[in-house]
């Protein structure tokens, strides 16, 4: 009845020391609450479980019959619910994942980053980057490949790879320095920002900021999810958590527009000067606008093309006119882009930028006790 101080210890250690949890067996009830406060959680397939209560209590309290795997097994908690960051096949792999996670972080928030020596040249250029974005804007590509090509070889470690797959959050190294990549994944929902993607990115940004890892934002976003389902999910408020963490972050930050940078999603991903980036780059394939050109024409010019002799032809004419005004060069002229870069030089631009940045930007906040997250 006196209560356990464990949760307070977790809360007070948050952001001071990295906290990792390997769930190696049954973890219903209290251990699940511990996991919710950890920075990294790994489970073992076929052996680990998590959840607010186990099958027996669920049946007694609700009359619902469900086995432990469907209720809170590693696959469910990792792929669908997102409490677990990673599911592996055995305990050895679970402990190895914990070691790998901790290798990117300092022992506490006041320690320097664990920079590792590397023989991977800072100026390494990859020809594959020049053609990796399809010419057809409706065709997808794997942004993970871009992260791999830009980072030190073999240094990428993805957090939550099977949850909210429209967003990629990965640790990696650039010239030995640990960094965090936050990237829209065009292969899933075209990289759109929904509730799960926003929460996944926001938590990762907070983790990187707490321990001093610079952030690289790779932008190819058609915007936020819209419609009744997005509203029911609370996206209006939950998207605010992503912008909140972007605004709170004090680590060096670079954004690169790979392709689409549309609407509020562009801001949320740190596009342009939205969050005072240390550098804002664009690839030649970038196109930045308030919303998709087709959607813009339908909203603002419907009367124009519907009254034309050939409505379909007039609509397409308007779309072609506005699309001709897009492109990376126009973005650099008016959308807060510092430079349009050769994709093959992305690695060198990132390394050079972070080499010149101080570890933290000055604190310009007024006196306060703490910020208040929207979630």
């Amino acid at each position: 009845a006196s209560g356990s101080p464990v949760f307070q210890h977790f809360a007070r250690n948050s952001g001071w020391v990295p906290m990792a949890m390997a769930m190696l067996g049954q973890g219903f009830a209290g251990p699940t609450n511990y996991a919710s406060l950890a920075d990294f959680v790994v489970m073992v397939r076929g052996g680990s479980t998590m959840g607010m209560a186990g099958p027996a209590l669920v049946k007694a309290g609700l009359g619902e019959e469900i086995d432990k795997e469907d209720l809170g097994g590693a696959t469910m908690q990792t792929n669908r619910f997102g409490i677990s960051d990673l599911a592996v096949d055995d305990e050895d792999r679970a402990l190895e994942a914990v070691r790998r996670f901790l290798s990117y972080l300092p022992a506490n928030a006041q320690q320097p980053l664990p920079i590792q020596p590397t023989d991977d040249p800072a100026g390494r250029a990859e020809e594959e980057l020049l053609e990796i974005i399809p010419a057809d804007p409706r065709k997808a590509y794997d942004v993970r490949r871009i992260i791999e090509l830009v980072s030190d070889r073999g240094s990428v470690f993805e957090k939550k790879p099977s949850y909210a797959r429209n967003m990629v959050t990965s640790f990696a190294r650039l010239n030995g320095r640990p960094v965090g990549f936050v990237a829209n994944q065009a292969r899933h929902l075209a990289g759109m920002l929904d509730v799960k993607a926003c929460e996944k990115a926001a938590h990762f940004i907070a983790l990187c900021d707490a321990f001093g890892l610079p952030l690289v934002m790779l932008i190819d976003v058609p915007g936020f999810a819209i419609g009744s389902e997005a509203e029911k999910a609370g996206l209006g408020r939950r998207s605010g958590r992503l912008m909140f963490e972007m605004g709170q972050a004090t680590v060096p930050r670079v954004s690169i527009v790979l392709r689409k940078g549309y609407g509020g999603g562009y801001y949320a991903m740190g596009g342009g000067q939205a969050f005072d980036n240390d550098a804002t780059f664009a690839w030649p394939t970038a196109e930045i606008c308030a919303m998709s050109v087709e959607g813009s024409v339908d909203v603002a010019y419907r009367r124009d093309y519907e009254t034309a002799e050939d409505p379909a032809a007039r609509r397409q004419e308007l779309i072609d006119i506005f699309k001709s005004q897009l492109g990376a060069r126009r973005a650099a002229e008016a959308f807060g882009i510092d430079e349009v870069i050769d994709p093959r030089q992305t690695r060198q631009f990132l390394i050079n930028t972070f080499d010149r940045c101080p570890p933290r930007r000055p604190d310009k906040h007024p006196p306060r006790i703490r910020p208040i997250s929207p979630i």
Side-chain angles (χ1 to χ4, degrees):
S2 63
S4 169
V6 173
F7 293 109
Q8 180 160 341
H9 294 329
F10 266 103
R12 290 191 176 277
N13 275 317
S14 178
W16 170 241
V17 292
M19 295 187 290
M21 174 174 283
M23 188 67 74
L24 304 179
Q26 305 302 306
F28 288 112
T32 298
N33 297 125
Y34 299 156
S36 71
L37 295 171
D39 301 317
F40 178 74
V41 180
V42 58
M43 298 179 72
V44 177
R45 296 185 188 94
S48 302
T49 60
M50 286 197 295
M52 300 309 295
L57 185 55
V58 169
K59 182 178 180 180
L62 301 176
E64 178 186 357
E65 292 198 26
I66 185 169
D67 66 40
K68 63 182 182 180
E69 285 298 319
D70 289 336
L71 181 62
T75 299
M76 297 294 287
Q77 294 289 11
T78 305
N79 297 354
R80 292 191 58 187
F81 306 147
I83 299 177
S84 170
D85 294 292
L86 191 64
V88 296
D89 291 331
D90 54 50
E91 292 186 4
D92 289 339
R93 286 183 174 86
L95 297 176
E96 175 56 32
V98 169
R99 285 190 288 269
R100 184 83 186 271
F101 166 74
L102 293 174
S103 72
Y104 294 92
L105 305 175
N108 65 58
Q110 293 300 315
Q111 296 295 313
L113 290 174
I115 296 175
Q116 295 185 355
T118 179
D119 58 3
D120 194 351
R124 171 171 55 83
E126 295 284 354
E127 292 296 321
E128 184 179 340
L129 291 171
L130 200 59
E131 304 292 338
I132 200 166
I133 304 292
D136 184 344
R138 285 176 286 191
K139 286 189 177 180
Y141 60 95
D142 192 348
V143 77
R144 290 186 178 97
R145 183 59 180 161
I146 295 177
I147 296 172
E148 289 173 358
L149 291 170
V150 167
S151 304
D152 294 356
R153 292 189 177 96
S155 72
V156 178
F157 180 68
E158 188 173 353
K159 191 173 186 287
K160 294 188 184 298
S162 57
Y163 177 76
R165 292 183 295 165
N166 42 325
M167 178 69 71
V168 172
T169 51
S170 293
F171 296 110
R173 283 187 167 81
L174 290 170
N175 203 28
R177 176 190 286 110
V179 301
F181 280 89
V182 180
N184 305 114
Q185 175 59 292
R187 293 180 68 178
H188 299 280
L189 301 177
M192 178 181 65
L193 294 176
D194 57 7
V195 166
K196 290 181 178 181
C198 287
E199 292 184 342
K200 175 179 174 177
H203 186 273
F204 185 75
I205 290 166
L207 175 61
C208 291
D209 187 50
F211 296 106
L213 277 67
L215 289 164
V216 181
M217 313 295 294
L218 299 182
I219 303 173
D220 185 358
V221 62
F224 287 108
I226 58 174
S228 60
E229 291 303 313
E231 302 306 329
K232 290 175 185 176
L235 183 59
R237 177 174 285 273
R238 292 181 178 274
S239 62
R241 170 76 193 285
L242 174 54
M243 297 187 222
F244 174 85
E245 295 299 347
M246 289 291 288
Q248 292 298 316
T250 62
V251 290
R253 182 168 55 239
V254 172
S255 75
I256 304 175
V257 187
L258 305 177
R259 189 162 62 177
K260 294 183 179 72
Y262 288 176
Y266 176 66
Y267 293 123
M269 289 295 295
Q273 301 303 315
F275 291 101
D276 192 25
N277 293 333
D278 293 278
T280 303
F281 302 129
W283 282 10
T285 45
E287 52 181 60
I288 302 170
C289 53
M291 60 190 297
S292 70
V293 172
E294 290 83 356
S296 301
V297 168
D298 289 340
V299 169
Y301 291 90
R302 183 178 297 275
R303 183 177 297 178
D304 180 303
Y305 70 71
E306 284 184 345
T307 57
E309 183 175 337
D310 186 339
R314 176 57 178 162
R315 180 178 182 272
Q316 189 59 50
E317 179 186 6
L318 290 166
I319 289 171
D320 293 341
I321 289 171
F322 289 118
K323 283 197 170 183
S324 71
Q325 298 172 5
L326 299 178
R329 183 179 62 82
R330 297 293 295 271
E333 291 173 356
F335 282 86
I337 302 296
D338 293 317
E339 191 163 353
V340 179
I341 64 173
D342 185 327
R344 295 168 295 186
Q345 297 177 340
T346 301
R347 172 178 168 82
Q348 184 173 357
F349 270 94
L350 288 172
I351 290 172
N352 290 346
T353 299
F354 291 142
D355 281 346
R356 296 195 303 268
C357 292
R360 296 279 182 182
R361 61 186 66 205
D363 185 0
K364 298 179 182 180
H365 295 298
R368 63 180 178 182
I369 300 301
R370 57 168 292 165
I372 303 170
S373 169
I375 300 298

